Amino acid sequence: MGNVESSSYQKCLLRFLPEEQKEIDEAFDSLSGEKNEKASRKTVNLQQLKAFVFKGFPESMTVRLYDGMRSIRVSAKASGLSEQISKEQFTVFLSELLRGTAEEKSYIVSRMILGDGSEIVKERQVQEFTEDLIMSVVYLLKHKKLMKGWNLENTQDYVAGGKVLAAQLLLELRSPDRQELTGSQPIHSTWERNAIENWIFKTPLISTFLSVIVTHSLSVLQSHIENQTEVENLVPKCKGTKRTAFISLLDFPSVMYINSHLPTELQHRWRLIFSSQVHGESFSRLCGQIVNQGPCLLVLKDSEGFIFGGFASQTWDVKPQFQGDNRCFLFSVFPRLEVYTYTGYNDHYMYLNHGQQTMPNGLGMGGQHNYFGLWIDSNYGKGHSKAKPKCTTYNSPQLSAQDDFLLDALEVWAVGDLPESVLLKGKTSILDVDPEAQALLEMTGKSRQSAGLRDQVEEDEN
Protein backbone atom coordinates (compact mmCIF):
# COMPACT_ATOMS: atom_id res chain seq x y z
CA MET A 1 0.00 0.00 0.00
CA GLY A 2 1.27 3.49 -0.77
CA ASN A 3 3.35 2.15 -3.70
CA VAL A 4 2.66 4.13 -6.89
CA GLU A 5 3.29 1.82 -9.84
CA SER A 6 1.72 3.08 -13.08
CA SER A 7 -1.25 0.66 -12.95
CA SER A 8 -2.15 1.51 -9.36
CA TYR A 9 -1.72 5.21 -10.13
CA GLN A 10 -4.20 4.90 -13.01
CA LYS A 11 -6.58 3.11 -10.64
CA CYS A 12 -6.35 6.07 -8.26
CA LEU A 13 -7.07 8.50 -11.10
CA LEU A 14 -10.20 6.56 -12.06
CA ARG A 15 -11.69 7.46 -8.67
CA PHE A 16 -11.96 11.06 -9.86
CA LEU A 17 -14.14 12.54 -12.57
CA PRO A 18 -12.29 14.37 -15.39
CA GLU A 19 -13.20 17.76 -13.93
CA GLU A 20 -11.93 16.61 -10.53
CA GLN A 21 -8.64 15.46 -12.05
CA LYS A 22 -8.29 18.90 -13.60
CA GLU A 23 -8.95 20.54 -10.23
CA ILE A 24 -6.31 18.34 -8.58
CA ASP A 25 -3.80 19.25 -11.31
CA GLU A 26 -4.48 22.96 -10.81
CA ALA A 27 -4.18 22.64 -7.03
CA PHE A 28 -0.80 20.95 -7.35
CA ASP A 29 0.39 23.58 -9.83
CA SER A 30 -0.57 26.31 -7.35
CA LEU A 31 1.05 24.37 -4.53
CA SER A 32 4.34 23.87 -6.39
CA GLY A 33 4.45 27.44 -7.67
CA GLU A 34 6.38 26.30 -10.76
CA LYS A 35 4.10 27.10 -13.67
CA ASN A 36 6.74 26.69 -16.36
CA GLU A 37 8.07 23.34 -15.20
CA LYS A 38 6.97 20.10 -16.81
CA ALA A 39 4.36 18.27 -14.73
CA SER A 40 6.65 15.30 -14.18
CA ARG A 41 9.37 17.53 -12.67
CA LYS A 42 7.21 19.60 -10.32
CA THR A 43 7.60 18.88 -6.61
CA VAL A 44 6.49 20.38 -3.30
CA ASN A 45 8.40 20.63 -0.03
CA LEU A 46 7.23 21.26 3.53
CA GLN A 47 7.77 25.01 3.42
CA GLN A 48 5.69 25.33 0.26
CA LEU A 49 2.91 23.29 1.86
CA LYS A 50 2.96 25.50 4.97
CA ALA A 51 2.71 28.60 2.78
CA PHE A 52 -0.15 27.13 0.74
CA VAL A 53 -2.59 25.82 3.36
CA PHE A 54 -5.36 27.98 4.73
CA LYS A 55 -3.90 30.93 6.67
CA GLY A 56 -3.43 30.17 10.37
CA PHE A 57 -4.06 26.44 9.90
CA PRO A 58 -2.37 24.50 12.74
CA GLU A 59 1.24 23.82 11.79
CA SER A 60 1.26 20.43 13.50
CA MET A 61 -1.50 19.17 11.18
CA THR A 62 0.29 20.64 8.14
CA VAL A 63 3.33 18.54 9.06
CA ARG A 64 1.11 15.47 9.39
CA LEU A 65 -0.35 16.08 5.92
CA TYR A 66 3.19 16.40 4.57
CA ASP A 67 4.25 13.14 6.23
CA GLY A 68 1.21 11.41 4.75
CA MET A 69 1.98 12.65 1.23
CA ARG A 70 5.68 11.81 1.26
CA SER A 71 4.99 8.32 2.61
CA ILE A 72 3.59 7.33 -0.82
CA ARG A 73 6.36 5.42 -2.61
CA VAL A 74 6.67 6.28 -6.28
CA SER A 75 8.00 2.83 -7.16
CA ALA A 76 8.83 -0.50 -5.60
CA LYS A 77 12.52 0.43 -5.78
CA ALA A 78 12.09 3.61 -3.75
CA SER A 79 13.61 3.55 -0.28
CA GLY A 80 13.23 5.95 2.61
CA LEU A 81 11.02 9.02 2.79
CA SER A 82 11.44 11.74 0.18
CA GLU A 83 11.71 15.39 1.20
CA GLN A 84 9.94 16.39 -2.01
CA ILE A 85 6.32 15.50 -2.89
CA SER A 86 5.58 14.67 -6.51
CA LYS A 87 2.30 15.16 -8.34
CA GLU A 88 1.78 11.40 -8.30
CA GLN A 89 2.21 11.28 -4.53
CA PHE A 90 -0.18 14.20 -4.10
CA THR A 91 -2.83 12.57 -6.29
CA VAL A 92 -2.59 9.15 -4.63
CA PHE A 93 -2.72 10.79 -1.22
CA LEU A 94 -6.03 12.46 -2.12
CA SER A 95 -7.38 9.31 -3.76
CA GLU A 96 -6.67 6.95 -0.90
CA LEU A 97 -7.55 9.34 1.93
CA LEU A 98 -10.79 10.63 0.37
CA ARG A 99 -12.00 7.66 -1.69
CA GLY A 100 -9.91 4.74 -0.50
CA THR A 101 -10.61 1.66 1.61
CA ALA A 102 -9.96 1.48 5.33
CA GLU A 103 -6.75 -0.43 4.54
CA GLU A 104 -5.51 2.30 2.20
CA LYS A 105 -6.41 5.04 4.64
CA SER A 106 -4.73 3.22 7.53
CA TYR A 107 -1.32 3.29 5.83
CA ILE A 108 -1.44 7.07 5.36
CA VAL A 109 -2.94 7.71 8.80
CA SER A 110 -0.18 5.61 10.40
CA ARG A 111 2.41 7.77 8.66
CA MET A 112 0.57 10.94 9.74
CA ILE A 113 0.65 9.68 13.32
CA LEU A 114 4.26 8.49 13.37
CA GLY A 115 5.98 10.74 10.85
CA ASP A 116 8.66 8.10 10.12
CA GLY A 117 9.03 4.50 9.00
CA SER A 118 8.02 2.92 12.33
CA GLU A 119 5.34 0.24 12.36
CA ILE A 120 4.34 0.28 16.04
CA VAL A 121 1.93 3.03 17.12
CA LYS A 122 1.72 4.10 20.76
CA GLU A 123 -1.56 5.14 22.35
CA ARG A 124 -0.26 8.58 23.34
CA GLN A 125 0.66 9.22 19.69
CA VAL A 126 -2.83 8.28 18.51
CA GLN A 127 -4.42 10.48 21.17
CA GLU A 128 -2.27 13.47 20.15
CA PHE A 129 -3.14 12.86 16.49
CA THR A 130 -6.87 12.65 17.24
CA GLU A 131 -6.83 15.82 19.34
CA ASP A 132 -4.92 17.53 16.51
CA LEU A 133 -7.52 16.30 14.04
CA ILE A 134 -10.46 17.68 16.05
CA MET A 135 -8.85 21.07 16.73
CA SER A 136 -7.95 21.43 13.04
CA VAL A 137 -11.55 20.70 11.99
CA VAL A 138 -12.92 23.27 14.44
CA TYR A 139 -10.39 25.83 13.20
CA LEU A 140 -11.33 25.30 9.55
CA LEU A 141 -15.07 25.35 10.19
CA LYS A 142 -14.76 28.59 12.13
CA HIS A 143 -12.43 30.46 9.78
CA LYS A 144 -14.14 29.26 6.62
CA LYS A 145 -17.48 30.38 8.05
CA LEU A 146 -19.00 26.89 8.08
CA MET A 147 -20.28 26.99 11.67
CA LYS A 148 -23.90 27.39 10.49
CA GLY A 149 -25.03 29.65 13.32
CA TRP A 150 -22.95 28.06 16.11
CA ASN A 151 -20.74 30.43 18.08
CA LEU A 152 -17.82 29.02 20.06
CA GLU A 153 -18.32 31.79 22.62
CA ASN A 154 -21.88 30.57 23.29
CA THR A 155 -20.87 26.96 23.89
CA GLN A 156 -18.64 25.27 26.45
CA ASP A 157 -14.83 25.10 26.13
CA TYR A 158 -14.18 23.46 22.76
CA VAL A 159 -10.53 22.67 23.61
CA ALA A 160 -11.53 20.65 26.67
CA GLY A 161 -14.40 19.17 24.66
CA GLY A 162 -11.97 18.15 21.93
CA LYS A 163 -9.87 16.21 24.43
CA VAL A 164 -12.97 14.41 25.73
CA LEU A 165 -14.05 13.56 22.16
CA ALA A 166 -10.55 12.31 21.32
CA ALA A 167 -10.61 10.06 24.38
CA GLN A 168 -13.97 8.66 23.29
CA LEU A 169 -12.85 7.96 19.71
CA LEU A 170 -9.77 6.25 21.12
CA LEU A 171 -11.98 3.72 22.91
CA GLU A 172 -12.52 1.87 19.62
CA LEU A 173 -8.81 1.03 19.57
CA ARG A 174 -8.86 -0.53 23.01
CA SER A 175 -9.88 -4.06 23.80
CA PRO A 176 -13.34 -4.32 25.44
CA ASP A 177 -11.86 -5.03 28.87
CA ARG A 178 -9.98 -1.71 28.79
CA GLN A 179 -12.74 0.50 27.43
CA GLU A 180 -13.88 1.47 30.91
CA LEU A 181 -10.65 3.47 31.30
CA THR A 182 -11.07 7.18 30.69
CA GLY A 183 -8.75 9.21 28.51
CA SER A 184 -7.22 10.88 31.55
CA GLN A 185 -5.78 7.62 32.87
CA PRO A 186 -2.21 6.89 31.72
CA ILE A 187 -2.02 3.62 29.78
CA HIS A 188 0.67 2.39 27.46
CA SER A 189 -0.91 0.30 24.71
CA THR A 190 0.74 -0.13 21.32
CA TRP A 191 -0.78 -1.21 18.00
CA GLU A 192 0.24 -2.30 14.53
CA ARG A 193 -1.33 -0.98 11.33
CA ASN A 194 -4.11 -3.58 11.16
CA ALA A 195 -5.46 -2.13 14.43
CA ILE A 196 -5.44 1.37 12.89
CA GLU A 197 -7.32 -0.06 9.89
CA ASN A 198 -10.01 -1.53 12.16
CA TRP A 199 -10.20 1.75 14.07
CA ILE A 200 -10.83 3.77 10.90
CA PHE A 201 -13.45 1.24 9.77
CA LYS A 202 -15.33 1.34 13.09
CA THR A 203 -15.00 5.10 13.66
CA PRO A 204 -16.55 6.98 10.68
CA LEU A 205 -15.87 10.39 12.27
CA ILE A 206 -12.14 9.91 11.70
CA SER A 207 -12.64 9.65 7.92
CA THR A 208 -15.07 12.58 7.97
CA PHE A 209 -12.61 14.77 9.89
CA LEU A 210 -9.80 13.82 7.50
CA SER A 211 -11.96 14.66 4.50
CA VAL A 212 -12.84 18.10 5.89
CA ILE A 213 -9.20 18.83 6.70
CA VAL A 214 -7.79 17.72 3.34
CA THR A 215 -10.39 19.42 1.12
CA HIS A 216 -10.58 22.69 3.06
CA SER A 217 -6.94 23.16 4.08
CA LEU A 218 -5.73 22.42 0.53
CA SER A 219 -8.76 24.10 -1.12
CA VAL A 220 -9.37 21.14 -3.41
CA LEU A 221 -12.53 19.14 -4.30
CA GLN A 222 -14.63 21.22 -1.89
CA SER A 223 -17.53 21.53 -4.32
CA HIS A 224 -17.94 17.80 -4.91
CA ILE A 225 -21.32 16.63 -3.62
CA GLU A 226 -19.77 13.85 -1.51
CA ASN A 227 -17.56 16.29 0.39
CA GLN A 228 -20.38 18.84 0.72
CA THR A 229 -22.61 16.17 2.26
CA GLU A 230 -19.96 15.29 4.83
CA VAL A 231 -19.84 18.89 6.08
CA GLU A 232 -23.64 19.16 5.92
CA ASN A 233 -24.06 16.10 8.15
CA LEU A 234 -21.14 16.97 10.42
CA VAL A 235 -22.46 20.38 11.53
CA PRO A 236 -26.21 21.03 11.92
CA LYS A 237 -27.67 24.49 11.40
CA CYS A 238 -28.19 26.17 14.77
CA LYS A 239 -31.58 27.89 15.04
CA GLY A 240 -33.55 29.68 17.73
CA THR A 241 -30.67 31.26 19.69
CA LYS A 242 -30.23 34.68 18.03
CA ARG A 243 -32.64 36.59 20.24
CA THR A 244 -31.46 35.18 23.54
CA ALA A 245 -28.45 35.48 25.85
CA PHE A 246 -28.08 31.72 25.60
CA ILE A 247 -24.97 29.67 26.42
CA SER A 248 -25.31 25.99 25.61
CA LEU A 249 -24.41 23.17 27.99
CA LEU A 250 -22.66 21.51 25.05
CA ASP A 251 -19.23 22.15 23.57
CA PHE A 252 -18.87 22.19 19.78
CA PRO A 253 -17.01 18.84 19.46
CA SER A 254 -19.78 17.13 21.44
CA VAL A 255 -22.38 18.69 19.08
CA MET A 256 -20.62 17.05 16.13
CA TYR A 257 -20.36 13.72 17.96
CA ILE A 258 -23.99 13.58 19.10
CA ASN A 259 -25.22 14.77 15.70
CA SER A 260 -23.36 11.89 14.02
CA HIS A 261 -25.55 9.43 15.98
CA LEU A 262 -28.85 10.99 14.90
CA PRO A 263 -30.80 9.52 11.97
CA THR A 264 -29.33 11.01 8.77
CA GLU A 265 -32.54 12.85 7.88
CA LEU A 266 -32.39 14.77 11.18
CA GLN A 267 -28.73 15.81 11.14
CA HIS A 268 -29.06 19.07 9.19
CA ARG A 269 -30.84 21.29 11.76
CA TRP A 270 -31.01 21.86 15.54
CA ARG A 271 -33.58 24.34 16.84
CA LEU A 272 -33.55 25.47 20.48
CA ILE A 273 -37.08 25.12 21.89
CA PHE A 274 -36.44 25.17 25.64
CA SER A 275 -33.72 26.48 27.93
CA SER A 276 -34.03 26.91 31.67
CA GLN A 277 -31.81 30.01 31.24
CA VAL A 278 -34.36 31.56 28.87
CA HIS A 279 -37.76 30.02 29.70
CA GLY A 280 -37.37 29.56 33.45
CA GLU A 281 -37.56 26.52 35.69
CA SER A 282 -41.03 25.10 35.20
CA PHE A 283 -42.12 21.59 34.23
CA SER A 284 -45.38 22.92 32.77
CA ARG A 285 -43.41 25.34 30.59
CA LEU A 286 -41.08 22.51 29.56
CA CYS A 287 -44.06 20.40 28.46
CA GLY A 288 -45.58 23.31 26.58
CA GLN A 289 -42.33 23.91 24.68
CA ILE A 290 -41.56 20.32 23.63
CA VAL A 291 -44.95 18.76 22.82
CA ASN A 292 -45.63 18.38 19.07
CA GLN A 293 -42.20 19.77 18.14
CA GLY A 294 -40.88 16.62 16.45
CA PRO A 295 -37.79 14.61 17.49
CA CYS A 296 -35.80 16.28 20.27
CA LEU A 297 -32.49 16.21 22.13
CA LEU A 298 -32.59 16.86 25.88
CA VAL A 299 -29.39 18.04 27.57
CA LEU A 300 -29.16 18.23 31.38
CA LYS A 301 -26.57 19.41 33.87
CA ASP A 302 -26.82 18.27 37.47
CA SER A 303 -25.71 20.23 40.53
CA GLU A 304 -22.33 18.44 40.55
CA GLY A 305 -21.48 19.37 36.96
CA PHE A 306 -22.29 16.11 35.14
CA ILE A 307 -23.79 16.73 31.67
CA PHE A 308 -25.96 14.10 29.98
CA GLY A 309 -29.21 13.65 28.09
CA GLY A 310 -31.28 11.71 25.61
CA PHE A 311 -32.58 11.67 22.06
CA ALA A 312 -36.35 11.30 21.61
CA SER A 313 -36.97 9.97 18.09
CA GLN A 314 -40.65 10.94 18.02
CA THR A 315 -42.50 14.06 19.06
CA TRP A 316 -43.34 14.19 22.78
CA ASP A 317 -46.94 13.56 23.76
CA VAL A 318 -48.32 13.91 27.30
CA LYS A 319 -49.84 10.53 28.20
CA PRO A 320 -49.33 7.85 30.87
CA GLN A 321 -47.82 5.33 28.41
CA PHE A 322 -44.38 4.74 26.99
CA GLN A 323 -43.76 6.08 23.49
CA GLY A 324 -40.94 6.35 20.93
CA ASP A 325 -39.00 3.70 19.01
CA ASN A 326 -35.63 1.99 18.89
CA ARG A 327 -33.88 5.01 17.36
CA CYS A 328 -33.95 6.70 20.78
CA PHE A 329 -30.75 6.77 22.83
CA LEU A 330 -29.23 8.19 26.01
CA PHE A 331 -25.85 9.91 26.13
CA SER A 332 -23.31 11.42 28.48
CA VAL A 333 -21.18 14.47 27.67
CA PHE A 334 -19.17 15.10 30.84
CA PRO A 335 -17.08 13.69 32.39
CA ARG A 336 -17.24 11.09 29.60
CA LEU A 337 -18.66 11.40 26.08
CA GLU A 338 -20.66 8.32 25.06
CA VAL A 339 -23.88 7.28 23.35
CA TYR A 340 -26.00 4.38 24.65
CA THR A 341 -28.40 2.73 22.21
CA TYR A 342 -31.34 0.39 22.76
CA THR A 343 -30.82 -3.20 23.91
CA GLY A 344 -34.06 -4.78 22.71
CA TYR A 345 -34.90 -5.78 26.30
CA ASN A 346 -38.04 -3.60 26.42
CA ASP A 347 -39.69 -0.69 24.60
CA HIS A 348 -39.57 1.89 27.42
CA TYR A 349 -38.00 4.51 25.17
CA MET A 350 -39.84 7.72 26.18
CA TYR A 351 -42.37 8.75 28.81
CA LEU A 352 -44.04 12.10 29.52
CA ASN A 353 -46.90 12.55 31.96
CA HIS A 354 -48.31 15.50 33.89
CA GLY A 355 -51.23 16.13 36.24
CA GLN A 356 -52.18 12.50 36.97
CA GLN A 357 -52.64 10.98 40.40
CA THR A 358 -52.26 7.28 39.59
CA MET A 359 -49.14 7.33 37.37
CA PRO A 360 -45.71 8.97 37.80
CA ASN A 361 -45.61 12.58 36.63
CA GLY A 362 -42.47 13.66 34.85
CA LEU A 363 -40.27 12.97 31.83
CA GLY A 364 -38.39 9.69 31.58
CA MET A 365 -36.28 7.66 29.17
CA GLY A 366 -35.37 3.99 29.60
CA GLY A 367 -35.77 1.59 32.51
CA GLN A 368 -39.13 1.49 34.26
CA HIS A 369 -41.38 3.57 36.51
CA ASN A 370 -39.46 4.95 39.50
CA TYR A 371 -36.27 3.43 38.06
CA PHE A 372 -35.58 5.34 34.83
CA GLY A 373 -32.27 5.63 33.02
CA LEU A 374 -33.09 9.35 32.89
CA TRP A 375 -35.89 11.04 34.83
CA ILE A 376 -36.96 14.67 35.32
CA ASP A 377 -39.64 14.97 37.99
CA SER A 378 -42.72 17.16 37.51
CA ASN A 379 -41.57 18.78 40.74
CA TYR A 380 -39.04 20.67 38.64
CA GLY A 381 -35.46 20.58 39.86
CA LYS A 382 -35.36 16.94 40.91
CA GLY A 383 -34.46 13.87 38.89
CA HIS A 384 -32.79 10.49 38.95
CA SER A 385 -30.64 8.17 36.84
CA LYS A 386 -31.01 4.64 38.15
CA ALA A 387 -28.75 1.98 36.69
CA LYS A 388 -27.49 -0.86 38.82
CA PRO A 389 -25.53 -1.97 36.95
CA LYS A 390 -27.04 -0.74 33.63
CA CYS A 391 -30.32 0.69 32.30
CA THR A 392 -32.30 -2.20 30.82
CA THR A 393 -33.49 -0.21 27.78
CA TYR A 394 -30.24 1.49 26.74
CA ASN A 395 -27.47 -0.37 28.59
CA SER A 396 -26.38 3.00 30.00
CA PRO A 397 -24.64 3.43 33.36
CA GLN A 398 -25.72 6.01 35.93
CA LEU A 399 -25.47 9.29 34.01
CA SER A 400 -25.60 11.74 36.91
CA ALA A 401 -23.08 12.16 39.73
CA GLN A 402 -25.61 10.72 42.22
CA ASP A 403 -28.52 8.47 41.31
CA ASP A 404 -30.94 11.07 42.74
CA PHE A 405 -29.80 14.47 41.49
CA LEU A 406 -30.69 18.15 41.60
CA LEU A 407 -31.12 19.74 38.18
CA ASP A 408 -28.88 22.75 37.55
CA ALA A 409 -29.79 23.50 33.92
CA LEU A 410 -31.76 22.00 31.03
CA GLU A 411 -31.99 22.68 27.30
CA VAL A 412 -33.99 20.98 24.56
CA TRP A 413 -33.26 21.02 20.83
CA ALA A 414 -35.78 20.00 18.16
CA VAL A 415 -33.85 18.28 15.37
CA GLY A 416 -34.63 18.00 11.67
CA ASP A 417 -37.21 19.96 9.72
CA LEU A 418 -40.03 21.82 11.41
CA PRO A 419 -43.14 19.65 11.81
CA GLU A 420 -46.10 20.77 9.70
CA SER A 421 -48.10 21.48 12.87
CA VAL A 422 -45.49 24.03 13.97
CA LEU A 423 -45.46 25.72 10.57
CA LEU A 424 -49.24 26.02 10.54
CA LYS A 425 -49.27 27.33 14.10
CA GLY A 426 -46.65 29.93 13.24
CA LYS A 427 -48.32 31.08 10.03
CA THR A 428 -51.91 31.39 11.19
CA SER A 429 -53.56 33.50 13.83
CA ILE A 430 -57.13 34.30 14.86
CA LEU A 431 -56.38 37.79 13.51
CA ASP A 432 -55.61 36.33 10.08
CA VAL A 433 -59.01 34.67 9.80
CA ASP A 434 -61.01 37.46 11.52
CA PRO A 435 -60.32 40.84 9.86
CA GLU A 436 -62.84 42.56 12.15
CA ALA A 437 -60.89 41.49 15.22
CA GLN A 438 -57.69 42.78 13.61
CA ALA A 439 -59.29 46.16 12.79
CA LEU A 440 -60.69 46.50 16.32
CA LEU A 441 -57.25 45.80 17.78
CA GLU A 442 -55.64 48.43 15.57
CA MET A 443 -58.34 51.01 16.49
CA THR A 444 -57.51 50.60 20.15
CA GLY A 445 -53.81 51.14 19.41
CA LYS A 446 -52.73 47.70 20.63
CA SER A 447 -50.11 45.58 18.88
CA ARG A 448 -50.41 42.01 17.69
CA GLN A 449 -48.54 40.01 20.32
CA SER A 450 -48.57 36.87 18.15
CA ALA A 451 -46.47 38.49 15.44
CA GLY A 452 -43.17 38.01 17.27
CA LEU A 453 -43.87 34.33 17.78
CA ARG A 454 -44.69 33.93 14.10
CA ASP A 455 -41.50 35.78 13.12
CA GLN A 456 -39.44 33.30 15.13
CA VAL A 457 -41.03 30.31 13.38
CA GLU A 458 -40.55 31.94 9.97
CA GLU A 459 -36.91 32.71 10.80
CA ASP A 460 -36.35 29.06 11.71
CA GLU A 461 -38.14 27.89 8.56
CA ASN A 462 -35.91 30.06 6.37
Side-chain angles (χ1 to χ4, degrees):
M1 210 55 55
N3 186 349
V4 188
E5 296 289 359
S6 59
S7 59
S8 60
Y9 176 58
Q10 292 302 318
K11 177 183 175 182
C12 289
L13 284 178
L14 289 175
R15 287 173 172 163
F16 299 114
L17 299 171
E19 57 268 28
E20 293 177 318
Q21 293 180 23
K22 181 180 178 181
E23 187 178 343
I24 291 170
D25 291 344
E26 292 173 348
F28 188 79
D29 288 344
S30 298
L31 182 54
S32 66
E34 299 174 357
K35 296 182 179 179
N36 297 323
E37 284 283 345
K38 291 183 178 180
S40 61
R41 298 173 60 181
K42 292 180 180 179
T43 58
V44 172
N45 59 35
L46 178 58
Q47 294 308 313
Q48 288 173 304
L49 186 61
K50 287 181 178 179
F52 181 79
V53 295
F54 189 74
K55 184 178 180 182
F57 184 68
E59 183 174 331
S60 57
M61 184 52 67
T62 305
V63 173
R64 294 187 190 278
L65 292 174
Y66 171 73
D67 287 334
M69 292 178 195
R70 71 192 186 112
S71 70
I72 306 295
R73 291 181 293 169
V74 295
S75 72
K77 297 178 180 179
S79 60
L81 295 174
S82 171
E83 297 298 318
Q84 302 289 327
I85 300 165
S86 68
K87 179 182 174 182
E88 288 78 10
Q89 288 175 304
F90 181 74
T91 303
V92 174
F93 173 82
L94 294 176
S95 171
E96 296 191 345
L97 211 54
L98 298 179
R99 309 280 170 84
T101 63
E103 181 184 4
E104 290 171 330
K105 291 177 183 178
S106 69
Y107 175 83
I108 296 176
V109 169
S110 296
R111 301 281 69 82
M112 292 175 71
I113 293 172
L114 293 166
D116 56 29
S118 304
E119 291 298 326
I120 302 299
V121 181
K122 296 179 180 178
E123 175 151 343
R124 178 55 60 187
Q125 293 172 312
V126 183
Q127 183 164 339
E128 290 172 353
F129 166 78
T130 310
E131 290 176 4
D132 232 2
L133 201 63
I134 296 165
M135 290 300 98
S136 298
V137 167
V138 174
Y139 178 89
L140 285 170
L141 293 175
K142 177 182 178 182
H143 291 274
K144 288 218 164 185
K145 302 186 185 306
L146 297 171
M147 297 290 286
K148 301 182 183 177
W150 295 94
N151 187 334
L152 295 179
E153 295 179 356
N154 293 337
T155 57
Q156 301 302 309
D157 183 1
Y158 72 92
V159 176
K163 292 182 181 296
V164 174
L165 175 54
Q168 199 291 322
L169 297 178
L170 204 60
L171 289 179
E172 293 292 349
L173 261 175
R174 297 177 182 163
S175 58
D177 61 327
R178 306 190 73 178
Q179 288 193 0
E180 293 302 319
L181 296 170
T182 65
S184 61
Q185 292 175 285
I187 60 176
H188 307 287
S189 297
T190 58
W191 298 281
E192 295 182 353
R193 188 159 62 86
N194 65 333
I196 300 298
E197 179 183 340
N198 291 333
W199 180 52
I200 291 171
F201 181 77
K202 294 188 296 183
T203 317
L205 267 183
I206 297 297
S207 293
T208 301
F209 288 160
L210 285 168
S211 179
V212 170
I213 286 172
V214 169
T215 56
H216 287 277
S217 68
L218 300 175
S219 299
V220 62
L221 303 177
Q222 297 175 74
S223 60
H224 189 268
I225 185 65
E226 179 180 314
N227 300 321
Q228 288 179 328
T229 301
E230 286 182 335
V231 176
E232 284 292 322
N233 292 345
L234 181 62
V235 184
K237 292 179 181 178
C238 176
K239 295 290 186 178
T241 63
K242 287 185 178 180
R243 301 181 183 183
T244 64
F246 169 74
I247 298 178
S248 177
L249 298 172
L250 297 170
D251 56 81
F252 189 67
S254 70
V255 169
M256 293 190 291
Y257 178 74
I258 293 170
N259 196 57
S260 71
H261 287 81
L262 295 177
T264 304
E265 67 273 15
L266 302 178
Q267 292 178 350
H268 61 285
R269 182 203 301 255
W270 289 21
R271 177 172 54 94
L272 184 70
I273 56 174
F274 178 84
S275 166
S276 55
Q277 303 172 36
V278 177
H279 300 98
E281 300 179 346
S282 163
F283 189 78
S284 296
R285 184 66 187 273
L286 170 65
C287 292
Q289 293 294 119
I290 69 175
V291 168
N292 297 325
Q293 293 293 318
C296 294
L297 281 165
L298 294 92
V299 187
L300 297 78
K301 180 182 179 183
D302 70 17
S303 59
E304 297 188 42
F306 280 45
I307 300 174
F308 50 94
F311 166 61
S313 61
Q314 297 179 0
T315 193
W316 287 100
D317 189 14
V318 179
K319 60 182 180 181
Q321 291 92 32
F322 285 98
Q323 49 195 294
D325 58 36
N326 60 20
R327 296 176 300 165
C328 296
F329 58 77
L330 293 179
F331 60 86
S332 58
V333 175
F334 183 82
R336 173 173 169 168
L337 184 60
E338 187 67 88
V339 165
Y340 308 98
T341 56
Y342 86 109
T343 62
Y345 183 82
N346 59 39
D347 60 358
H348 298 174
Y349 306 113
M350 303 161 49
Y351 177 89
L352 179 63
N353 197 34
H354 189 40
Q356 294 236 344
Q357 295 183 349
T358 57
M359 298 293 287
N361 292 311
L363 183 153
M365 295 189 70
Q368 59 191 28
H369 293 312
N370 303 317
Y371 209 87
F372 284 91
L374 170 61
W375 174 256
I376 302 172
D377 200 85
S378 61
N379 182 11
Y380 190 92
K382 296 180 180 180
H384 71 242
S385 178
K386 309 273 189 182
K388 296 187 185 299
K390 296 292 179 70
C391 168
T392 54
T393 311
Y394 298 111
N395 201 38
S396 56
Q398 179 180 301
L399 302 175
S400 49
Q402 308 296 330
D403 55 1
D404 290 302
F405 63 84
L406 296 177
L407 185 60
D408 179 69
L410 170 66
E411 64 192 50
V412 184
W413 299 85
V415 293
D417 291 327
L418 289 165
E420 186 176 348
S421 59
V422 176
L423 293 173
L424 292 174
K425 181 179 178 181
K427 289 183 176 180
T428 59
S429 163
I430 185 62
L431 301 179
D432 294 324
V433 296
D434 190 346
E436 291 184 5
Q438 179 181 345
L440 182 61
L441 189 65
E442 291 173 350
M443 288 174 61
T444 60
K446 294 183 179 180
S447 62
R448 296 176 59 168
Q449 298 299 321
S450 62
L453 297 175
R454 187 197 348 244
D455 290 345
Q456 181 68 45
V457 172
E458 290 176 347
E459 173 196 338
D460 289 340
E461 181 187 3
N462 294 331

